[in-house]
Amino acid sequence: MRANVRTFIFLIISSICLYSCSSVRHLPPGQSMLVKNEVKVADAKDPDFDNLKSYVRPVTNKKFMDLFRVKTLFYDWGQPTYDKNGNTRDGKFRKFLREKVGEAPVLLDSTEIKNSVDQLKIVMKQIGYFDAEVDYTVTYKRKNHRKAKVDYLVTAHKPYTISQIRYDIPIQEYKRIVVLNQRRTVLSDGMQYNESLINNEL
């Protein structure tokens, strides 16, 4: 039964999307809807790279069932219309669609791209890649530039490692406690620099 319901909903939404206006119809002139962010590391593999995309802003509009951005369609349907005299027609139902059900399209923003590049560099340094470089490209998915994708390309270079760990503790009693607890530490000579692990040891 649940599968049949999902199939029914899918068919309805598919029909709506085929015959409805685009969710970018009411974008301001010169603006593009951001539909996808991608982050790739060109020259290294590291489990810490898996969450790099979470530092990119802005986050795109979510898709229903990973297929359609239904909320941006509702937002589009809720936009005011104008009669032949230029008078605005904006009823309660349109406001409901626009403000309660719908969601404004997330726009491509050059300032946010720059901030994302800076943030990715910071995160790479935090996990030991001090020489990391970040570049990006913007690809427009339509000829009229109304939908855009941003690809961030990270060149990690060689990570920095901790050559030697030394404890400079003048008070002997404190030094003895630290030495006794050394077996519990996650830090070791030669390990890759990781700001989070170091802070946890403080």
Side-chain angles (χ1 to χ4, degrees):
M1 178 66 71
R2 184 175 298 176
N4 291 335
V5 171
R6 293 186 64 179
T7 301
F8 178 69
I9 293 174
F10 172 79
L11 291 173
I12 291 176
I13 295 176
S14 298
S15 300
I16 290 172
C17 290
L18 285 172
Y19 296 103
S20 68
C21 298
S22 168
S23 57
V24 298
R25 184 180 58 165
H26 289 97
L27 290 184
Q31 296 285 355
S32 302
M33 179 180 176
L34 179 65
V35 296
K36 193 171 186 179
N37 288 313
E38 286 289 346
V39 180
K40 294 182 180 178
V41 181
D43 59 338
K45 292 184 178 181
D46 191 312
D48 288 323
F49 296 160
D50 294 341
N51 68 337
L52 287 178
K53 187 176 176 180
S54 65
Y55 296 96
V56 173
R57 294 292 181 273
V59 178
T60 59
N61 300 100
K62 290 184 178 180
K63 291 183 178 180
F64 177 72
M65 296 175 61
D66 205 31
L67 293 171
F68 306 113
R69 292 184 173 86
V70 179
K71 287 190 175 182
T72 58
L73 288 174
F74 284 132
Y75 182 85
D76 179 81
W77 296 339
Q79 295 303 305
T81 58
Y82 303 90
D83 61 23
K84 60 182 180 181
N85 296 319
N87 298 317
T88 303
R89 299 172 61 185
D90 190 12
K92 291 183 178 180
F93 183 65
R94 287 184 180 276
K95 289 182 179 179
F96 173 76
L97 288 178
R98 185 173 69 244
E99 299 174 3
K100 301 298 182 180
V101 182
E103 181 179 80
V106 173
L107 301 180
L108 180 70
D109 187 330
S110 59
T111 300
E112 291 283 14
I113 292 176
K114 183 181 182 302
N115 291 339
S116 295
V117 168
D118 293 340
Q119 186 61 42
L120 287 172
K121 289 179 180 179
I122 291 172
V123 174
M124 292 297 289
K125 288 180 180 179
Q126 290 174 341
I127 56 178
Y129 297 90
F130 287 86
D131 299 323
E133 301 173 78
V134 182
D135 199 2
Y136 71 90
T137 57
V138 177
T139 305
Y140 293 97
K141 301 176 74 68
R142 291 193 174 190
K143 292 181 179 180
N144 59 8
H145 286 198
R146 301 302 264 173
K147 291 187 178 182
K149 171 189 175 186
V150 182
D151 290 287
Y152 295 88
L153 181 63
V154 180
T155 305
H157 297 298
K158 189 176 180 179
Y160 279 61
T161 57
I162 298 174
S163 60
Q164 186 180 24
I165 297 175
R166 293 186 300 176
Y167 297 94
D168 185 12
I169 305 174
I171 303 175
Q172 289 299 316
E173 183 61 24
Y174 291 168
K175 184 174 183 178
R176 185 179 69 85
I177 295 173
V178 171
V179 171
L180 289 174
N181 285 277
Q182 271 187 311
R183 67 185 65 180
R184 300 178 183 175
T185 184
V186 296
L187 304 180
S188 61
D189 294 348
M191 69 171 287
Q192 183 173 322
Y193 177 91
N194 188 299
E195 186 176 301
S196 178
L197 294 179
I198 294 173
N199 289 335
N200 289 338
E201 290 290 309
L202 300 179

